[in-house]
């Protein structure tokens, strides 16, 4: 619900702060007083075009702030999806600023918000109905939801059946596409699976083979060096043999001089170290021994793995997984017809479930349409629309337009004269008739929700007497369920208001301003008397105003 509206420097309004309550708020004033400025200002806050012409002459910017009750339901979800934080229970502040030199900015609870978000929020906050309005009830895209709300028709089962049906169709299409692709590649697939299976690659095998190959290649390279070392150490002329011979000679003469004994000890130590080296060389030779044939086989296997990986554009370690993937594709291809048949059966079953749910939904909509037509018809005669007829069209759309909402197109149609064909609601020529049709429909739909605030702009234009009274009575009835702001020229409507706001211009000799004030009981009676009698308020008009207020 709209609780407050603050306007600064919009057209003729310099500064204006208004508060609104629940029920029916009426706005009156002489022609040209600026009633439309209030609606323009509210429309600006809710994402309307930020035209520089809205900025009051001499001001640098126009600012409009609209305050609403704390958002709930879809509106709260929309704000959350757009990253706008609103504390639970706190009011919602929507502000729009338009610069005199061009450009505008929007804010929701002091957080920046684009005009697109404001426009998306607008229908959840306010419905504006006027003689030239092309939104709300005039937009057929919203008629189905309105009918469902009126008839308490829940499309939930149809939505679930639709989701299941679409998922089954998606699985079938994917399987058909895969089989079609696989069938084109059958020969290649069979060959690839055959050669990959024969290769039998294992994860990590390439690295293992590469390590072995490097080891054997190194052993091959140092084999000659090891043989040369053997020649130096072993044999009759090897170093170790020469040391032993030298030791035997020194043993015979070591006692002749201390130095000879020390030399013998050193040679003995050298013999021991050389023998140890000889043993270590033997160990190394055994460890580095390689079979040229084994090296050749490992190299061939390694090259085969790498070649196959390049062929299939994968890493060697991924060849095993690729083998299983291609084998699975081949198996699905070979068993494809059976799988497709099962998926087709699933699609047919899901389609049957959707058809049943959608047909039930359609039947409930037809029943709701009959009740809505009767409810609207009961409102037409008092609104001087006796000859008019209203009907709710529930038509089946093409299969390509089916959805989670069912198979129906819903549109409100009217015929304004006897014998005239039915036409969409928006095609009515008379603005007054259109406004009254909207009122009749809104009264019929009154208990079924919608925006928390509705605005009717001069819905009573061109009517008076009993018709104006009927309009006032229906607006009051409608205001029992939602907040109503009504711009009116009708005293019968004005008398029904729970609160009466007067819009008037003032002049100080140089500047013209538009102001709004809440009327007390005496002021209200005087304003309704003015509406009854015109420029000169008579006692008779005051008495009639009193009677209207008493009977409202």
């Amino acid at each position: 619900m709209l609780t407050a509206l603050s306007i600064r420097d919009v057209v003729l309004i310099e500064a204006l702060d208004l508060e609104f309550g629940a029920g029916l708020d009426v706005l009156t004033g002489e022609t040209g007083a600026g009633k439309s400025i209030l609606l323009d200002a509210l429309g600006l806050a809710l994402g309307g075009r930020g035209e520089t012409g809205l900025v009051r002459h001499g001001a640098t910017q126009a600012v409009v702030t609209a305050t609403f009750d704390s958002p709930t339901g879809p509106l709260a979800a929309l704000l959350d999806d757009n990253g706008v934080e609103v504390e639970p229970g706190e009011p919602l502040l929507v502000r729009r600023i338009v610069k005199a030199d061009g450009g505008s900015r929007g804010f929701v609870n002091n957080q920046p918000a684009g005009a697109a978000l404001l426009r998306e929020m607008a229908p959840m906050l306010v419905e504006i109905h006027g003689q030239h309005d092309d939104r709300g009830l005039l937009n057929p895209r919203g008629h189905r939801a309105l009918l469902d709300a009126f008839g308490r028709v829940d499309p939930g089962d149809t939505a679930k059946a639709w989701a299941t049906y679409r998922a089954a169709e998606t699985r079938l299409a994917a399987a058909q596409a895969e089989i079609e692709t696989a069938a084109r590649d059958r020969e290649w697939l069979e060959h690839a699976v055959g050669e990959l299976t024969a290769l039998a690659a294992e994860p990590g095998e390439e690295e293992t083979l590469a390590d072995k190959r490097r080891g054997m290649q190194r052993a091959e390279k140092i084999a000659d060096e090891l043989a040369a070392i053997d020649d130096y150490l072993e044999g009759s002329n090897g170093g170790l043999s020469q040391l032993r011979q030298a030791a035997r000679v020194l043993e015979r003469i070591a006692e002749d001089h201390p130095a000879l004994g020390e030399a013998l000890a050193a040679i003995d130590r050298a013999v021991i170290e050389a023998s140890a080296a000889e043993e270590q060389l033997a160990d190394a030779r055994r460890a580095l021994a390689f079979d040229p044939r084994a090296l050749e086989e490992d190299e061939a296997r390694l090259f085969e793995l790498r070649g196959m990986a390049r062929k299939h554009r994968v890493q060697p370690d991924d060849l095993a997984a690729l083998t299983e993937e291609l084998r699975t594709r081949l198996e699905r291809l070979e068993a494809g017809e059976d799988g497709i048949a099962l998926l087709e059966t699933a699609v047919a079953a899901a389609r049957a479930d959707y058809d049943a749910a959608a047909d039930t939904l359609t039947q409930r909509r037809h029943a709701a349409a009959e009740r809505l037509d009767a409810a609207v018809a009961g409102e037409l005669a008092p609104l001087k629309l006796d000859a008019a007829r209203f009907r709710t069209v529930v038509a089946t759309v093409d299969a390509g337009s089916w959805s989670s909402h069912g198979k129906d197109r819903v549109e409100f149609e009217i015929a304004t004269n006897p014998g005239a064909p039915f036409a969409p609601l928006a095609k009515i020529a008379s603005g007054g008739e259109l406004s009254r049709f909207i009122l009749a429909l809104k009264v019929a739909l009154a208990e079924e929700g919608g925006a928390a605030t509705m605005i009717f702009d001069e819905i009573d234009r061109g009517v008076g007497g009993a018709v104006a009274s009927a309009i006032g009575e229906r607006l009051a009835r409608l205001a029992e369920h939602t907040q109503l702001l009504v711009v009116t020229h009708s005293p019968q409507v004005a008398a029904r208001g729970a609160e009466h706001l007067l819009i008037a211009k003032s002049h100080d000799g140089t500047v013209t301003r538009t102001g709004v004030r809440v009327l007390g009981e005496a002021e209200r009676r005087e304003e309704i008397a003015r509406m009854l009698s015109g420029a000169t308020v008579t006692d008779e008009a005051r008495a009639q105003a009193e009677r209207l207020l008493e009977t409202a």
Side-chain angles (χ1 to χ4, degrees), residues 357-389:
D359 291 346
T360 299
L361 183 62
T362 297
Q363 293 171 7
R364 296 188 64 190
R365 282 175 175 155
H366 278 292
E370 292 181 4
R371 297 197 302 274
L372 178 59
D373 293 352
V376 174
E379 299 293 333
L380 296 181
L383 296 175
K384 203 177 179 180
L385 294 169
D386 314 60
R389 292 169 296 151

Side-chain angles (χ1 to χ4, degrees), residues 138-162:
L138 301 189
N139 189 341
R141 286 181 295 182
H143 291 177
R144 182 178 58 207
L146 288 170
L147 178 63
D148 286 351
F150 173 81
R152 289 178 169 79
V153 176
D154 183 5
D157 290 342
T158 301
K160 292 177 183 176
W162 173 257

Side-chain angles (χ1 to χ4, degrees), residues 24-213:
L24 178 59
D25 295 332
V26 296
L27 294 87
T28 66
E30 295 182 357
T31 301
K35 295 184 291 296
S36 63
I37 299 177
L38 288 179
L39 301 186
D40 290 342
L42 181 59
L44 177 65
L46 296 175
R49 291 188 61 183
E51 298 177 346
T52 57
L54 291 172
V55 182
R56 187 175 64 86
H57 180 70
T60 58
Q61 64 182 23
V63 183
V64 181
T65 303
T67 305
F68 298 88
D69 289 338
S70 183
T72 59
L75 177 58
L78 174 64
L79 294 173
D80 185 63
D81 290 343
N82 284 272
V84 178
E85 298 180 2
V86 180
E87 292 294 329
E90 291 296 314
L92 178 69
L93 273 66
V94 182
R95 186 168 80 255
R96 189 84 178 281
I97 300 173
V98 177
K99 298 285 188 180
D101 56 1
S104 68
R105 292 180 294 161
F107 300 87
V108 176
N109 279 25
N110 295 319
Q111 301 165 65
L117 174 59
L118 300 182
R119 285 192 292 271
E120 193 172 356
M121 293 167 53
M124 303 180 191
L125 293 168
V126 176
E127 287 183 28
I128 299 178
H129 299 292
Q131 297 188 52
H132 305 290
D133 183 42
D134 59 355
R135 298 163 293 174
L137 294 178
L138 301 189
N139 189 341
R141 286 181 295 182
H143 291 177
R144 182 178 58 207
L146 288 170
L147 178 63
D148 286 351
F150 173 81
R152 289 178 169 79
V153 176
D154 183 5
D157 290 342
T158 301
K160 292 177 183 176
W162 173 257
T164 301
Y165 174 41
R166 293 295 297 145
E169 282 194 323
T170 299
R171 288 192 295 271
L172 174 60
Q176 289 172 330
E178 183 177 353
I179 287 176
E180 183 179 348
T181 301
R184 291 196 300 266
D185 300 333
R186 176 189 285 273
E187 184 176 347
W188 173 86
L189 198 57
E190 289 175 340
H191 173 75
V193 170
E195 66 178 3
L196 285 168
T197 301
L199 181 65
E202 297 179 0
E205 183 180 4
E206 189 245 3
E207 184 177 358
T208 300
L209 288 172
D211 289 343
K212 286 178 63 179
R213 177 171 175 257

Side-chain angles (χ1 to χ4, degrees), residues 262-323:
E262 293 176 1
L264 176 60
I267 289 175
D268 286 340
R269 290 195 299 271
V271 169
I272 293 171
E273 292 294 329
S275 297
E278 188 176 38
E279 292 177 0
Q280 291 172 347
L281 286 169
D283 291 341
R285 190 180 299 108
R286 286 190 295 271
L288 293 173
F290 76 96
D291 182 354
R293 185 174 179 180
L295 174 60
E296 183 178 346
E297 290 175 354
D298 284 352
E299 284 185 332
R301 176 67 175 175
L302 182 61
F303 294 156
E304 189 177 13
L305 286 172
R306 290 175 174 173
M308 190 68 72
R310 286 194 299 272
K311 179 178 180 179
H312 290 282
R313 297 180 181 178
V314 297
Q315 294 299 317
D317 282 351
D318 296 332
L319 287 171
L322 178 64
T323 303

Side-chain angles (χ1 to χ4, degrees), residues 7 9 22 34 46 63 117 167 201 210 235 240 244 254 291 326 365 466 486 496 531:
I7 304 173
D9 296 319
L46 296 175
V63 183
L117 174 59
L240 188 55
R244 286 171 179 157
D291 182 354
L326 296 183
R365 282 175 175 155
V486 178
R496 292 278 184 174
M531 297 171 71

Side-chain angles (χ1 to χ4, degrees), residues 492-511:
Q492 292 89 342
V493 173
R496 292 278 184 174
E499 190 169 80
H500 192 146
L501 292 85
L502 176 64
I503 305 170
K505 284 183 181 179
S506 63
H507 307 269
D508 63 4
T510 57
V511 178

